[in-house]
Amino acid sequence: MKVTVHRKAHFNAAHRLYNKNWNMDKNDEVFGKCNNPHYHGHNYELVTSVTGEIDPVTGYVIDMKVLKDLIKEEVEDKLDHKNLNEQVKEFQNLNPTAENIAVVIWNKLRNKLDQKLDLEVTLYETPRNFVTYKGE
Ligand code: NI
């Protein structure tokens, strides 16, 4: 019997979407306003979902305090109020789209989670646009 627990988190960050191998016109054509060279911000909402067996001793899949602290250390402390392109090493050569941010977050959390637990992240870039990644 497997149960999934979910934890919500939040961070604000700035980014610019562009391909450095293209000129400004081509970048504008593909990325529109997101290619603004002065950057723009989003209020990102993250849902971290952990699936596993219920521990018969604790009754938990994972201690939510442990999960909360992990998200704070690996995601919030590293991304909140940052310029993703300029200040986060994973995006030095990776476009900080919601898709790529979700993969980066998943990798950070996966490294710290017990291997017997399954992980999925859902990242909202706006209330209507969101992506999911579960390591496939
Ligand atoms: Ni954007």
Side-chain angles (χ1 to χ4, degrees):
M1 183 176 65
K2 292 203 168 183
V3 175
T4 303
V5 301
H6 307 271
R7 169 82 192 175
K8 289 185 179 176
H10 174 82
F11 60 94
N12 299 315
H15 72 171
R16 175 191 178 191
L17 302 183
Y18 71 108
N19 183 325
K20 63 177 188 275
N21 299 315
W22 295 344
N23 65 24
M24 198 65 180
D25 283 348
K26 176 70 174 171
N27 272 298
D28 276 343
E29 183 190 320
V30 174
F31 296 113
K33 287 180 184 171
C34 291
N35 178 41
N36 178 353
H38 299 289
Y39 304 95
H40 64 278
H42 290 283
N43 296 315
Y44 290 96
E45 296 286 348
L46 175 68
V47 180
T48 302
S49 304
V50 176
T51 301
E53 300 283 344
I54 299 174
D55 184 316
V57 176
T58 62
Y60 291 157
V61 171
I62 182 173
D63 184 333
M64 280 301 206
K65 174 73 165 65
V66 170
L67 184 58
K68 175 189 171 191
D69 290 347
L70 184 61
I71 293 165
K72 180 179 186 306
E73 285 160 24
E74 294 301 316
V75 181
E76 294 169 2
D77 288 354
K78 293 190 165 115
L79 304 183
D80 190 34
H81 285 76
K82 296 286 169 63
N83 177 317
L84 299 177
N85 304 76
E86 299 276 328
Q87 295 180 280
V88 179
K89 68 175 190 311
E90 285 86 350
F91 301 112
Q92 276 176 358
N93 293 301
L94 182 67
N95 218 11
T97 58
E99 291 88 331
N100 282 328
I101 298 168
V103 171
V104 165
I105 289 171
W106 187 93
N107 283 323
K108 285 176 180 295
L109 295 175
R110 181 71 273 177
N111 282 336
K112 298 291 173 84
L113 266 187
D114 192 320
Q115 283 304 319
K116 69 179 191 289
L117 298 170
D118 291 325
L119 173 66
E120 178 168 3
V121 298
T122 303
L123 182 70
Y124 286 78
E125 191 169 71
T126 73
R128 294 183 184 188
N129 295 345
F130 59 100
V131 304
T132 63
Y133 181 62
K134 54 184 177 181
E136 289 172 353

